[in-house]
């Protein structure tokens, strides 16, 4: 296999990892208001159950994006340059969303004020919903192609990217990630949050399946190949299997199903794209392929060695993290008071009130 | 204002802003790991409380460093697409390595550290903070290797057909002499930042006689680290200056506003006159010092701006090869000045520590800003001093900007980031002050027997 092929596959793998992992993080963020509505008496503690379910891992999940970006820069500089400068405003919006969302997780519990938390909750919702939608738009536009000139510079506008096909893809990723997040919460929590997640699943799966099927069908009719018809069909089967498992309360299988759906959908898109990386709609010759966008053989060789040695290590310790935090979360294990939000004047944190076993402040100095 | 100007302002603003938080992350990650190690070894609960207190401050700071870092990786492609096309083959490699080797390590093990207090054995849990600290420090190495290549490109060739830089030796890029001196300089600067931060926070509490045992220990720890770091930063800075004189003589000449080649050259401490140092009314000069700094020989020859400019025009064709001299001149001085004062504070602190002077506590609090200012000035100096080049001698900054991105887009982006970053600075600042004031957790809070999950959010 040529190194350019290897790197095309590796970058596809990195994006797949990103969407599988941050996909459910986005879903959890999107579901925050739906599964723990403000009017509910336990709203705050339920929100904290949800946020803590992704607490230890969301940042590691987001690094998949950074590595995908870095790998694209190293292996296909032309692709990185045309894509990032061409998709300028959507990327700007995604960046802002990821910034406020990341800070929201860290800062939400740091001051005990309803207004403070409400604002950060908004940041979590919008910071999850917007990228969940825009990543779909971006990838559909990559597969569909964008106007490029002879120098591979993007010549369209923001509205070139917001075409109906792109928006359908956006709805698809938004729906899939929401479903993926709901299934994840059903797997990772117990009690009210899990019940609500399952209830919601029953309501949202028909439109999600319909939108996703429409998107895959459009994609395949316009750009499909024999091999990707297989992956696209498999994605559809995986999605239906995931829904079936979810409805029967088989949380693990349901999660495996939605994860597989994401994997197969991304595989379909990259398969359709190959051997292009960014086709041009103005003139075929202006498009970027794995050949004219790639770095030199030497650079690809170096990077292949780095990837071969270190990717398994990363996968091993990330998998271990999920193993360490495998326990389901419930309201009972969340400390009653908002952690570490001490009154300023006393100069000393008030010990949190214990109301019984299981409600004592966790022994974490990092409470907040 | 052209898109180029705005893109440059955005890079400057977002990078300087990002690097307010990064050195504190680098320094505190190791300092907090040290505190937890002390607890692990000595079993004294005061070290656990110290770890948790400074750990919390570390995390408030870490979060904002992480999220602003995403912008850094993306804006090369967004605003500097021609730069990316030109250098990607070389420059992309350390960036990708940074992600794979450093960012994953840092974020994953920090997650384990925050949430794993009762899920991991104490020894494994201690290892997680060290691994996160390792990731943080490694990331500095890779990004500095990338930056050093821009200062002093090595291990590449120019492809005459594509007009792109192509990597010929990754070993040369990763062991670039510039990287080898810049990495310790930045690292020591980061430890100085972390050390002085711990000193300042401890001083605030000691001045109010709160938790004097804990903060007494933290103070000593911070002072010792700061002093070592201050020495390290000057030694590595000295080596860097010599290498810089060889590799980028114009930057050194501009740093000194030295227009005519001199041997021996004196170091100007302070000047009153025209801003660019072209005309001097009054100045304080240390004879022979510049010669020594630049060459290691007190009578060594240091080339001046005018002579270098002639040589560059002969080599690269007509044009302007002068950086903005006033900025280069003053940022260089201020970097050294702020860093020196921070080192002085550490020295004074170790002296006054025994008596606990009120003046020292005030000075320590005020000095917390010094390392941040020195870091900022250092980056402004080294980046402005390289202009008009992005890759020294190879690619000009104006040739790197994205040709397809219009002024409107860049202005929007600059406005959004500036406003957002300003708001985030206020939020992070408020949180930081609040948590500094609230002090460490009490002993009963940190020694709950129940094996409960630790929740951070």
């Amino acid at each position: 296999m040529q190194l350019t092929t290897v790197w095309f596959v590796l970058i596809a793998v990195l994006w797949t990892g990103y969407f599988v992992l941050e996909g459910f993080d986005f879903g959890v963020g999107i579901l925050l208001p739906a599964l723990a509505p403000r009017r509910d008496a336990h709203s705050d503690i339920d929100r904290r159950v949800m946020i803590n379910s992704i607490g230890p891992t969301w940042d590691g999940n987001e690094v998949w994006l950074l590595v995908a970006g870095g790998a694209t820069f190293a292996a296909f500089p032309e692709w990185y340059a045309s894509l990032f400068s061409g998709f300028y405003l959507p990327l700007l919006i995604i960046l802002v969303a990821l910034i406020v969302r990341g800070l929201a997780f860290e800062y939400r519990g740091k001051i005990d004020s309803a207004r403070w938390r409400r604002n950060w909750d908004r940041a979590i919702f919008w910071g999850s919903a917007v990228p969940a939608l825009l990543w779909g738009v971006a990838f559909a536009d990559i597969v569909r192609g964008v106007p490029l000139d002879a120098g591979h510079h993007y010549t369209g506008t923001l509205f070139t990217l917001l075409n109906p096909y792109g928006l359908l893809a956006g709805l698809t990723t938004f729906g899939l990630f929401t479903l993926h997040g709901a299934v994840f919460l059903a797997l990772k929590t117990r009690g009210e949050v899990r019940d609500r997640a399952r209830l919601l699943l029953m309501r949202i799966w028909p439109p999600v399946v319909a939108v996703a099927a429409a998107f895959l069908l459009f994609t395949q009719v316009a750009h499909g190949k024999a091999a990707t018809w297989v992956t696209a069909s498999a994605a559809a089967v995986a999605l239906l299997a995931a829904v079936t498992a979810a409805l029967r309360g088989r949380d693990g299988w349901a999660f495996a199903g939605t994860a597989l759906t994401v994997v197969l959908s991304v595989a379909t898109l990259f398969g359709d794209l190959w051997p292009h990386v960014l086709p041009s709609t103005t003139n075929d010759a202006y498009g970027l392929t794995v050949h004219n966008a790639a770095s030199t053989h030497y650079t690809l060789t170096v990077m292949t060695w780095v990837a071969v040695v270190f990717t398994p290590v990363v996968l091993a310790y990330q998998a271990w993290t999920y193993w360490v935090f495998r326990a389901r979360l419930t309201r009972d294990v969340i400390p009653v008071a908002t952690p570490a939000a001490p009154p300023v004047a006393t100069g000393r944190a008030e010990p949190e009130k214990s109301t019984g076993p299981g409600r004592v402040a966790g022994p974490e100095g990092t409470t907040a | 204002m052209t898109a180029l100007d705005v893109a440059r302002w955005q890079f400057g603003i977002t990078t300087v802003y990002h690097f307010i938080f990064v050195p504190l992350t680098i320094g505190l990650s190791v300092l907090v790991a040290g505190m937890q190690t002390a607890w692990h070894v000595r079993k004294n609960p005061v070290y656990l409380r110290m770890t948790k207190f400074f750990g919390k401050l570390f995390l408030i700071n870490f979060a904002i460093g992480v999220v602003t870092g995403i912008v850094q990786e993306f804006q090369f492609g967004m605003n500097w697409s021609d730069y990316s096309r030109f250098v990607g083959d070389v420059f992309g490699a350390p960036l990708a390595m940074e992600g794979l080797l450093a960012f994953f390590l840092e974020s994953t093990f920090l997650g384990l550290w925050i949430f794993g207090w009762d899920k991991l054995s104490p020894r494994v849990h201690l290892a997680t903070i060290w691994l996160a600290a390792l990731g943080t420090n490694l990331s500095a190495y890779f990004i500095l290797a990338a930056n050093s290549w821009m200062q002093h490109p090595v291990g590449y060739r120019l492809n005459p057909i594509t007009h792109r830089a192509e990597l010929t030796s990754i070993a040369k890029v990763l062991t670039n002499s510039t990287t080898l001196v810049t990495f310790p300089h930045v690292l020591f600067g980061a430890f100085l930042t972390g050390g002085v931060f711990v000193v300042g926070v401890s001083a605030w509490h000691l001045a109010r006689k709160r938790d004097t045992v804990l903060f007494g220990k933290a103070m000593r720890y911070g002072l010792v680290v700061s002093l070592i770091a201050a020495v390290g930063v000057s030694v590595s800075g000295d080596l860097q200056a010599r290498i810089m004189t060889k590799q980028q003589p114009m930057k050194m000449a501009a740093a000194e506003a030295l227009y005519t080649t001199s041997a021996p050259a004196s170091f100007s401490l302070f000047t009153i006159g025209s801003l660019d140092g072209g005309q001097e009314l009054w100045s304080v000069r240390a004879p022979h010092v510049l010669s020594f700094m630049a060459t290691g020989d007190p009578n060594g020859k240091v080339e001046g701006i005018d002579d270098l400019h002639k040589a560059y025009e002969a080599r690269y064709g007509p044009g302007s090869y002068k950086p903005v001299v006033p900025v280069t001149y003053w940022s260089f001085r201020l970097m050294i000045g702020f860093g020196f004062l921070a080192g002085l504070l550490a020295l004074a602190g170790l002296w006054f520590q025994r008596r606990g002077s009120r003046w020292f506590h005030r000075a320590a609090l005020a000095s917390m800003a010094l390392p941040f200012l020195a870091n900022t000035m250092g980056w402004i100096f080294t980046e402005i001093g390289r202009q008009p080049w992005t890759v020294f001698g190879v690619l000009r900054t104006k040739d790197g900007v994205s040709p397809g991105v219009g002024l409107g887009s860049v202005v929007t982006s600059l406005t959004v980031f500036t406003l957002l970053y300003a708001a985030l600075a206020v939020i992070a600042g408020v949180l930081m002050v609040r948590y500094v004031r609230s002090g460490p957790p009490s002993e009963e809070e940190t020694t709950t027997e129940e094996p409960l999950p630790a929740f951070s959010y």
Side-chain angles (χ1 to χ4, degrees):
Chain A
M1 199 159 39
Q2 279 189 307
L3 281 180
T4 46
T5 314
V6 171
W7 275 91
F8 182 84
V9 173
L10 266 172
I11 284 166
V13 167
L14 289 167
W15 281 107
T16 308
Y18 176 63
F19 288 133
V20 168
L21 295 170
E22 191 138 273
F24 64 73
D25 290 353
F26 284 147
V28 170
I30 291 166
L31 291 171
L32 211 58
L35 297 188
R38 279 256 154 248
R39 56 174 191 280
D40 190 278
H42 294 96
S43 169
D44 188 54
I45 200 154
D46 284 348
R47 285 181 184 213
R48 285 175 56 206
V49 168
M50 293 171 72
I51 296 168
N52 277 294
S53 73
I54 55 170
T57 46
W58 75 267
D59 190 12
N61 295 347
E62 200 160 286
V63 173
W64 285 81
L65 169 66
L66 290 175
V67 178
T72 311
F73 199 172
F76 300 105
E78 293 275 347
W79 187 12
Y80 170 81
S82 294
L83 183 67
F84 281 42
S85 61
F87 291 24
Y88 196 90
L89 291 174
L91 273 179
L92 173 65
I93 298 168
I94 288 175
L95 287 176
V96 171
L98 293 181
I99 288 173
V100 296
R101 174 176 173 273
L103 279 184
F105 290 138
E106 291 297 334
Y107 288 178
R108 182 188 186 275
K110 292 252 185 312
I111 289 181
D112 189 9
S113 136
R115 200 174 127 225
W116 173 267
R117 281 194 296 268
R118 193 164 58 237
N119 285 334
W120 287 121
D121 284 350
R122 285 193 188 119
I124 292 176
F125 174 78
W126 289 106
S128 303
V130 169
L133 189 104
L134 286 180
W135 283 128
V137 176
F139 271 81
D141 283 322
I142 293 173
V143 173
R144 177 176 170 269
V146 291
L148 296 178
D149 66 15
H152 311 306
H153 300 118
Y154 178 76
T155 54
T157 66
L158 175 63
F159 299 100
T160 319
L161 301 174
L162 300 177
N163 54 73
Y165 173 65
L167 292 173
L168 178 65
L171 283 181
T172 305
T173 45
F174 181 84
L176 268 185
F177 292 160
T178 308
L179 196 72
H180 194 33
V183 169
F184 174 80
L185 284 170
L187 175 69
K188 285 295 293 177
T189 64
R190 196 180 291 137
E192 196 76 356
V193 173
R194 178 167 183 267
D195 297 343
R196 287 195 182 145
R198 298 201 55 220
L199 203 67
L200 187 108
L201 268 169
M202 280 180 225
R203 282 195 221 136
I204 65 166
W205 75 263
V208 172
V209 169
V211 170
F215 169 67
L216 282 175
L217 200 64
F218 270 118
T219 305
Q220 289 310 95
V221 169
H223 312 282
K225 302 168 181 160
T228 55
W229 275 104
V230 176
T231 51
S233 319
V237 172
L239 182 56
L240 290 174
V243 169
T244 314
L247 296 180
R248 293 188 182 175
R250 305 293 298 269
D251 300 333
W253 285 110
F255 181 71
T258 47
L260 196 61
T261 309
V262 177
V263 172
L264 290 166
S265 306
V266 180
T268 304
L269 290 178
F270 273 88
D272 287 340
L273 186 60
W274 169 265
H276 291 92
V277 290
L278 193 62
S280 170
T281 52
T282 35
N283 181 337
D284 264 351
Y286 297 166
L288 289 169
T289 67
V290 289
H291 307 295
N292 68 3
S295 283
T296 54
H297 186 76
Y298 174 73
T299 301
L300 293 179
T301 311
V302 169
M303 292 313 298
T304 306
W305 280 108
V306 172
V308 164
V309 174
F310 290 101
T311 312
V313 180
V314 171
L315 287 174
Y317 64 65
Q318 283 213 334
W320 179 64
T321 309
Y322 280 93
W323 174 251
V324 169
F325 299 108
R326 66 191 177 281
R328 284 182 190 254
L329 303 186
T330 61
R331 283 177 186 168
D332 292 342
V333 296
I334 304 282
V336 176
T338 301
V344 173
T346 62
R348 169 68 75 89
E350 298 281 341
E352 286 169 72
K353 290 183 188 70
S354 306
T355 53
R359 295 258 171 142
V360 193
E364 26 48 296
T366 49
T367 4
Chain B
M1 272 283 184
T2 60
L4 171 69
D5 298 325
V6 185
R8 288 183 66 184
W9 273 105
Q10 180 180 315
F11 200 88
I13 288 172
T14 52
T15 308
V16 163
Y17 188 86
H18 177 59
F19 208 75
I20 292 172
F21 304 95
V22 170
L24 190 58
T25 295
I26 297 174
L28 273 187
S29 67
V30 175
L31 279 155
V32 170
M35 293 171 188
Q36 192 170 337
T37 308
W39 174 60
H40 193 78
V41 173
R42 300 198 193 151
K43 308 287 178 220
N44 182 347
V46 77
Y47 291 111
L48 177 60
R49 294 173 54 228
M50 196 192 290
T51 307
K52 296 200 165 189
F53 174 68
F54 284 104
K56 212 174 282 180
L57 301 177
F58 163 67
L59 289 175
I60 292 173
N61 171 73
F62 177 79
I64 199 156
V66 165
V67 295
T68 54
I70 315 174
V71 177
Q72 294 305 106
E73 192 185 285
F74 277 51
Q75 74 174 329
F76 290 118
M78 291 169 76
N79 281 344
W80 303 98
S81 66
D82 273 4
Y83 167 80
S84 304
R85 284 175 219 277
F86 182 82
V87 301
D89 197 276
V90 187
F91 187 84
L95 238 61
M97 289 181 194
E98 185 187 24
L100 190 62
L101 274 73
F103 289 159
F104 270 131
L105 201 64
E106 173 187 72
S107 60
T108 310
F109 284 97
L110 206 59
L112 279 158
W113 184 70
I114 301 170
F115 286 82
W117 283 89
D118 59 344
K119 293 204 173 274
L120 302 169
S121 75
R123 194 176 298 204
V124 174
H125 186 257
L126 178 64
T128 61
I129 183 73
W130 278 110
L131 284 168
L134 176 69
T136 305
N137 284 270
L138 264 182
S139 89
Y141 176 77
F142 286 113
I143 199 64
L144 289 171
N147 179 267
S148 295
W149 187 82
M150 298 162 74
Q151 312 285 353
H152 177 55
V154 291
Y156 79 106
R157 66 174 196 126
L158 274 181
N159 184 324
I161 299 159
T162 59
H163 302 290
R164 304 276 150 86
E166 292 179 353
L167 186 65
T168 55
S169 164
I170 187 69
K172 279 192 186 150
V173 170
L174 294 180
T175 59
N176 187 344
S177 55
T178 320
T179 315
L180 297 182
V181 290
T182 306
F183 180 57
H185 189 62
V186 169
L187 228 54
F188 280 123
F191 290 138
L192 184 62
T193 312
V196 172
F197 179 83
V198 170
V199 167
V201 169
S202 303
W204 192 87
H205 284 278
L206 287 175
R208 284 157 188 76
K209 307 252 183 290
R210 286 187 193 153
D211 241 322
T212 48
V213 176
L214 188 155
F215 285 112
K217 285 177 190 294
M219 171 66 90
R220 246 182 325 266
Y221 181 43
L223 285 171
V224 170
V225 169
S226 301
L227 190 62
I228 296 171
V231 173
V233 108
S234 14
V235 172
S236 58
D238 180 54
L239 294 173
Q240 222 183 348
R242 261 170 239 177
I243 281 197
M244 183 178 79
T245 311
K246 259 186 244 152
Q247 296 171 348
Q248 299 183 66
M250 181 61 98
K251 194 190 280 183
M252 193 52 165
E256 276 306 308
L258 181 73
Y259 282 85
T260 44
T261 305
S262 313
S266 58
F267 180 86
S268 106
L269 287 169
F270 193 79
T271 308
I272 294 176
S274 67
L275 255 183
D276 63 359
Q279 284 168 337
E280 220 170 81
L281 289 176
W282 178 79
S283 71
V284 183
R285 298 190 151 269
H288 298 283
V289 170
L290 178 59
S291 286
F292 183 75
M293 269 171 69
T295 63
D297 170 3
N299 291 309
K301 188 174 93 170
V302 183
E303 289 174 287
I305 295 172
D306 294 336
D307 298 301
L308 285 166
H309 201 267
K310 268 181 218 140
Y312 285 177
E313 281 203 305
R315 191 164 166 201
Y316 303 112
S320 171
Y321 298 93
K322 260 187 275 186
V324 185
V325 177
V327 177
T328 318
Y329 177 89
W330 284 108
S331 56
F332 186 62
R333 246 138 224 86
L334 291 171
M335 169 187 77
I336 296 176
F338 290 135
F340 178 76
L341 285 178
L344 205 62
L345 173 89
L347 202 61
L350 285 169
W351 177 255
F352 283 121
Q353 243 284 288
R354 285 162 232 186
R355 287 176 293 165
S357 145
R358 215 175 54 165
W359 282 106
F360 171 69
H361 289 151
R362 282 184 197 170
L365 199 61
S367 300
M368 285 169 81
L370 291 172
F372 291 100
L373 292 168
N375 295 331
T376 303
M377 289 303 153
W379 276 111
I380 290 178
F381 165 66
T382 202
E383 293 297 296
I384 295 277
R386 194 189 54 233
Q387 301 303 323
W389 305 102
T390 349
V391 182
F392 184 76
V394 183
L395 183 75
R396 287 175 178 80
T397 307
K398 68 177 169 60
D399 298 327
V401 76
S402 296
V405 176
L407 181 62
S409 299
V410 199
V411 168
T412 309
S413 160
L414 174 66
T415 313
V416 167
F417 281 126
T418 307
L419 294 178
L420 178 66
Y421 279 14
L424 298 184
V426 173
I427 292 168
V430 166
L431 270 184
M432 205 55 133
V433 170
R434 226 179 144 107
Y435 274 80
V436 165
R437 285 182 172 188
S438 74
S442 65
E443 209 167 306
E444 56 268 33
E445 278 176 290
T446 55
T447 54
T448 312
E449 294 294 319
E450 304 243 356
L452 286 173
F455 288 108
S456 258
Y457 301 140

